[in-house]
Amino acid sequence: MSNYKNIFFLGIGGIGMSAIARYFKRIGKNVAGYDKTPTQLTHELEAEDIAIHYTDDLENITVDYQNAEDTLVVYTPAVPKHHAELNYFQNNGFAVKKRAEVLGIITQNSFSLAVAGTHGKTTTSSMLAHILVAANAPVTAFLGGVVEGYDTNLIGNGTDATVVEADEFDRSFLHLHPNIACVISDDADHLDIYGTNDAIKSSFAEFAAKISDKDHLFIAQGIENINGTEVSVNGTAVINAYNLRFENGKRVFDLDFKGEKITDIKLLMPGEHNVLNASLAFAMAKTYGLSNEEIKSGLDSFKGIRRRFSYKINTEKLVMIDDYAHHPTEINAVSQAVHEMYPNKKITAVFQPHLFSRTRDFMDGFAESLSTFNNVVLLEIYPAREFPIENINSTMLINKIKSASKILLPKEELVSFLTKNTPEVLLIIGAGDVGEMVDEIKTELEKNN
């Protein structure tokens, strides 16, 4: 990497891409890039003096980034193959690498702690990163979410260790070199890439095989075909969270860590799934060398991640929560948490499906998970990198949902609908551009409440 003084990103606004862009900016490289649309995250990067453009035009590639000898190009697979700027760099002798390759290179000479799983990896890696940073460990963390209290997805500034999300999309995590790792889940997802459930499970097994010392590999109990130290919640694993309770608005639990009893671990985030996430983060931090008290202190002070059960409004009359959930398993986890917190209130979920292929592959699962809410407001599918698939649409999904009240809305009508039909508890869920509407919804609802 020392050969390159200029780093150009294609898809710089992606959550994983932006962390690497911030890293290169931090170490003194010139950084610029392209993204399809402006977002809150791209505006934050621009405020950090990173130049971003939003049209695919070779004229946007300034002279600083036209020398192949000192310019590295980083791209995301979401950028289409016909992209003019991508083709310019590929056809003119530039070093052009995927995000995962670059992350692998950055982290290969450090002690790497990697968090894998189709669900929960952003929360778990962010918990782990905060624990290590709060304990003054020499670490830099590349995260898939913006951590509350830091307002960035790149935290820490040490060089000895790295915390990374091991992303299964496009088999990206196989570029990493982990020393300690966990696998939270290996449920079917990204079937547009893998084709079958068995293929994604095999890929997770290949990632896990990178850890030779199985005392340094932690897996959620129930994951098959991976040999590691099991972690459970109210289960039978050698690391088991138990005695779950609420005290003063916090989730509290105890941990049996291979026979050692660790009591009164406190967490702000609700939901049993977050107890599992915290237990895995605890196991990795303890294996890294932190004390029980350092880890407990870190978990107690962890404020969460933007768009992961993030409270936008929290009053007696109205609660509004924003979450990135975009898979039936994730929606079930959010549903369990919100019903746990508000057992006597009617809950309205606004959901924007993400990808035609995912909606097709998990149509019945989405219908079942969304049916756990009293009221459902469904938006049209966010296509992201895909073209439409015939007969796959939100109309088909809403017909399968069994909630007492359900409606399919154009995205443009969402804000006015919610202001006229303000719920007691409002949950905004999805990985598409509905996240960009959250602040507008919050503002309008606060006017009326």
Side-chain angles (χ1 to χ4, degrees), residues 140-320:
T140 292
F142 299 83
L143 304 171
V146 175
V147 186
E148 301 286 4
Y150 296 87
D151 294 327
T152 180
N153 53 352
L154 181 76
I155 72 172
N157 53 21
T159 56
D160 293 352
T162 51
V163 173
V164 294
E165 277 194 38
D167 187 3
E168 74 279 2
F169 175 71
D170 201 31
R171 297 177 172 84
S172 294
F173 55 3
L174 300 182
H175 291 284
L176 300 175
H177 310 276
N179 300 97
I180 299 173
C182 75
V183 179
I184 307 165
S185 56
D186 63 349
D187 296 347
D189 198 3
H190 303 301
L191 296 182
D192 55 323
I193 301 294
Y194 286 94
T196 67
N197 192 8
D198 287 343
I200 192 169
K201 289 182 182 295
S202 295
S203 194
F204 273 102
E206 187 177 350
F207 165 76
K210 291 174 171 283
I211 302 289
S212 56
D213 184 349
K214 297 311 173 186
D215 287 336
H216 286 193
L217 175 65
F218 302 94
I219 62 172
Q221 189 171 41
I223 293 177
E224 300 174 350
N225 304 318
I226 297 178
N227 180 24
T229 302
E230 289 191 330
V231 181
S232 61
V233 177
N234 289 325
T236 58
V238 294
I239 300 174
N240 179 54
Y242 66 100
N243 193 21
L244 277 63
R245 56 209 188 269
F246 275 111
E247 294 178 5
N248 300 319
K250 290 187 177 183
R251 166 66 84 186
V252 185
F253 64 98
D254 302 331
L255 193 66
D256 183 336
F257 193 95
K258 303 179 181 179
E260 179 187 0
K261 304 294 194 255
I262 305 165
T263 60
D264 300 326
I265 301 169
K266 297 175 182 176
L267 194 64
L268 274 173
M269 304 179 76
E272 286 191 13
H273 64 295
N274 281 319
V275 175
L276 176 63
N277 295 338
S279 300
L280 288 160
F282 198 111
M284 294 179 73
K286 187 174 174 68
T287 303
Y288 178 74
L290 266 57
S291 70
N292 293 342
E293 291 306 314
E294 285 175 317
I295 302 169
K296 286 173 64 175
S297 176
L299 284 172
D300 191 16
S301 61
F302 179 67
K303 296 179 180 178
I305 310 108
R306 187 187 296 171
R307 300 219 67 219
R308 300 304 193 281
F309 213 86
S310 300
Y311 280 92
K312 309 305 289 187
I313 302 173
N314 190 5
T315 66
E316 196 66 36
K317 283 184 62 180
L318 174 62
V319 173
M320 177 181 170

Side-chain angles (χ1 to χ4, degrees), residues 61-88:
I61 304 172
T62 61
V63 66
D64 288 341
Y65 300 91
Q66 293 176 10
N67 182 354
E69 292 184 3
D70 62 7
T71 299
L72 171 67
V73 179
V74 186
Y75 77 103
T76 170
V79 173
K81 292 180 179 179
H82 59 76
H83 195 274
E85 294 178 29
L86 175 61
N87 280 275
Y88 165 79

